[in-house]
Structures are given as C-alpha cells and as structure tokens.
Amino acid sequence: MKKLLTAFFALCLSVSVAYAEVKNCPFVWKVEKKGEPVSYLVGTIHLNKKDKQLSGCLKEVLDNADTLITETFFVTSPDELVQTDIIPFMQISINRNNPNQLKDDIGEKLHGELKEMVKNSEMSSLLTAFDHFYAWSAFVNTMSIPYNNSLSQQNGIDLLLSQYAKEKNLRRVGLEQAMEQVQYFKDIPKDKIIAEFEMSIRHKKELAKDEMKLIDTYNSGSLENITKLLFDDNQFRYFNQKDKEFWKKWSNIDLLENRTAIWLPKILIQLPKEKTVIATGAGHMVGDKGLVKLLQNNGYTVTYSHYFAII
C-alpha cells in the first residue's frame, strides 16, 4: 500500500511539474523519431516589449540542446559579424555613386518622411547610408522598425534565445544567409514598395495598435489567437485591392511558405545528428505548409507543449 501511495504521489508531482513548465512555455513543440535525439521547435516573435526576458522554460529547452537553429545567424556582439554575410549584403544595398538614390526611387516627400522615422528609431545608425539605399534595400532595413517605441528587436525571442545559447556555449546556426534573402526583396516592384511606405506612414498610429495587439497575444500564450492574427487579411486593409493581393501573396507565400520549404531539407539533415532547438517566426510553424505539419509528413511525431514535460 505504501509503495502504491508513493507511486501515486510521484505521478501527481510529475504532472504538476510538467504543467508548471508548460503554462509558461507556449509555442514549443517536441520533435521525436525512433532512434533520433529529441529536438524542439520554438515559434518566435521578432519584436517584443523592452522589458521582455527569456522565460525559464525556454532556457530549460536550450539547456537540453546541443544546437540552436534560427532563421538567420543572430549577431549578439560585434565580433560575431565575421560569421555572417551582413557586410556584403550592405554593400549591394547601396549605390555609392548616387547620394540621392533613395530620393530618386521614392520621391522627395516620402524620402523625408521615411528618413524622419528612421532617425527616431533604434535603427538610427542606418542614417549614414540611408540616402544611398535603393527602394528595395530601404524596405529591407526598415521593415523591422517597430511602430511603438516601447518595443524593440533587442527583446525579440530569437535574439534572446541566441544570447542564452551563446552563454551556454551551444552551436548556433542560421537557416539562411542575408544574401539568400536578397531576391525576395529585389523582385518587389518599386510601386509596391512605395505603396507600402506610404501606407505605413499614413496609418502609423493604427498599425502601432495592431502591432501591440500581436505582441500581447503572443505573450498571452494563445496559439489559436496568434495564428488568427498572423493570417488575418485585416492587416492589409489599408491597401487598395491590387496592392492588397500583392502583399498578401508576398507575405504568406513568398516570405513564409516558400522559405519554410527551402529550410526543411536542412532541418531534416540536422535532426538525426543531435538535440536541436529550431526557432523561427511563429508563422513558419503553423498551417499545412508549416514546419509542424512538414515534419509530421516526414515521419516525425510532433507534440505541442500542453502534452509533454521538458526533458
């Protein structure tokens, strides 16, 4: 009887421990296949509130890993720049021979408004090269500037994971290099980029509210609600119909589905080797073309965090 009670209390304890880990660790999936190390998927967000820190549960996920894989290699200190192709990327992003390249591409008024936005952001270091940017490279370099000043890229989950992985001396790998991303942006017609800039500036206040709603929803831990927001057509509501159709396809197909499909073979090569944490934007995880479904289609058991304990 004593042994039975002991086993019962041990079971209750294990369940409570698992629950404590899970409730503070949303957007995490365990990835398993017979004969292979256990790995994890983490759906991230690239911006967050400036006081946001890495949760204890996500630290525990990394504590049980050998390698962290993110969308790109996140630079956590200047000395790590040599591990990236950021410098060559910046070199093709500017026209050194034309100090008015961006003004010529998007017009004087829009150029001035965009420059003012950059000046007042955490990306103000871009100002030294700003006037030399092409329209497409200005879009690349400004698309991650938050509309709300209480948010920062420095507190994005990807970067926080990278910083902790560095502290733990884990191997860190990017699924793609900056130069691989170029074509996604260079192919965007100039008139579409101008329409996006104009929309962003004209509706900055409304977009700041949308952005904060997305951040709050992510931090609340609701996978269902964050999925709805990420794929909600409402985010394109300020475009005319043609521009709406373009940006919806570019965001959902080009930037999400196509890149996820390109990443999959690299991930399938990595998973049998060692315990790995794969952290990408939450939009890459969900849906029929997301990593969860794609890995399941390749014979992996992928279990959402409500149903397992971190081990």
Side-chain angles (χ1 to χ4, degrees):
M1 184 66 177
K2 184 176 180 181
K3 289 182 179 180
L4 184 61
L5 285 173
T6 301
F8 174 75
F9 284 120
L11 176 62
C12 290
L13 180 61
S14 69
V15 170
S16 65
V17 168
Y19 176 74
E21 290 171 338
V22 167
K23 71 176 183 179
N24 291 318
C25 206
F27 315 117
V28 175
W29 293 260
K30 182 183 284 187
V31 179
E32 300 172 282
K33 182 185 276 190
K34 187 175 181 180
E36 294 187 11
V38 173
S39 292
Y40 293 93
L41 300 176
V42 178
T44 68
I45 199 162
H46 306 318
L47 293 171
N48 218 320
K49 295 179 180 179
K50 290 182 178 179
D51 61 351
K52 184 68 177 179
Q53 300 298 317
L54 197 65
S55 71
C57 188
L58 285 178
K59 288 181 180 180
E60 194 167 352
V61 168
L62 279 179
D63 287 341
N64 288 279
D66 301 306
T67 294
L68 171 67
I69 294 181
T70 47
E71 293 185 24
T72 59
F73 182 88
F74 280 80
V75 174
T76 62
S77 59
D79 61 289
E80 291 182 342
L81 276 173
V82 296
Q83 299 179 52
T84 73
D85 60 345
I86 291 176
I87 292 175
F89 176 79
M90 289 302 294
Q91 288 173 337
I92 69 164
S93 297
I94 62 175
N95 184 347
R96 294 184 179 277
N97 298 319
N98 185 0
N100 296 308
Q101 180 64 56
L102 186 57
K103 189 182 296 183
D104 290 344
D105 273 357
I106 67 175
E108 185 172 353
K109 182 178 184 296
L110 187 54
H111 168 268
E113 292 172 326
L114 190 64
K115 190 170 186 176
E116 189 66 19
M117 184 183 77
V118 173
K119 180 181 177 181
N120 295 320
S121 76
E122 63 182 359
M123 302 287 286
S124 58
S125 60
L126 291 174
L127 290 173
T128 55
F130 187 78
D131 293 338
H132 294 266
F133 279 139
Y134 299 97
W136 70 266
S137 52
F139 177 59
V140 175
N141 284 285
T142 61
M143 67 182 295
S144 58
I145 294 176
Y147 296 103
N148 193 304
N149 289 333
S150 67
L151 303 177
S152 173
Q153 296 180 69
Q154 300 305 308
N155 298 81
I157 302 300
D158 320 74
L159 183 55
L160 294 177
L161 284 167
S162 296
Q163 290 168 341
Y164 187 73
K166 183 180 182 179
E167 292 175 17
K168 302 295 292 185
N169 293 316
L170 300 184
R171 190 170 77 97
R172 293 154 52 210
V173 179
L175 285 166
E176 62 189 11
Q177 300 244 344
M179 294 294 284
E180 293 177 84
Q181 298 175 348
V182 168
Q183 213 55 46
Y184 293 109
F185 297 92
K186 288 189 75 173
D187 287 344
I188 301 175
K190 192 184 300 183
D191 66 300
K192 301 301 180 187
I193 294 175
I194 290 173
E196 200 283 337
F197 284 152
E198 289 177 340
M199 184 277 295
S200 297
I201 291 169
R202 186 179 303 118
H203 297 285
K204 181 179 178 180
K205 290 182 179 179
E206 296 91 340
L207 294 171
K209 292 178 182 178
D210 290 353
E211 187 176 62
M212 188 58 71
K213 181 179 180 181
L214 182 70
I215 300 295
D216 286 340
T217 301
Y218 180 88
N219 288 331
S220 76
S222 172
L223 178 61
E224 180 181 1
N225 290 339
I226 198 70
T227 301
K228 287 179 180 178
L229 283 179
L230 286 170
F231 296 99
D232 188 354
D233 282 0
N234 195 50
Q235 64 185 297
F236 307 106
R237 64 191 182 277
Y238 297 119
F239 289 114
N240 65 40
Q241 190 58 37
K242 286 187 177 180
D243 290 340
K244 177 180 179 178
E245 291 172 1
F246 173 85
W247 285 110
K248 182 179 176 181
K249 176 190 176 295
W250 185 83
S251 298
N252 296 339
I253 306 300
D254 298 347
L255 211 59
L256 282 178
E257 288 186 10
N258 291 349
R259 288 169 69 221
T260 306
I262 291 171
W263 297 342
L264 181 64
K266 302 175 185 180
I267 292 170
L268 292 175
I269 290 172
Q270 169 64 22
L271 287 176
K273 295 180 179 179
E274 57 190 355
K275 294 178 289 184
T276 305
V277 172
I278 301 152
T280 73
H284 292 284
M285 296 295 173
V286 297
D288 291 339
K289 303 294 180 65
L291 283 175
V292 171
K293 186 67 173 178
L294 292 176
L295 288 175
Q296 289 172 337
N297 292 344
N298 279 273
Y300 285 89
T301 299
V302 185
T303 312
Y304 192 56
S305 58
H306 288 313
Y307 306 104
F308 67 81
I310 305 300
I311 58 172

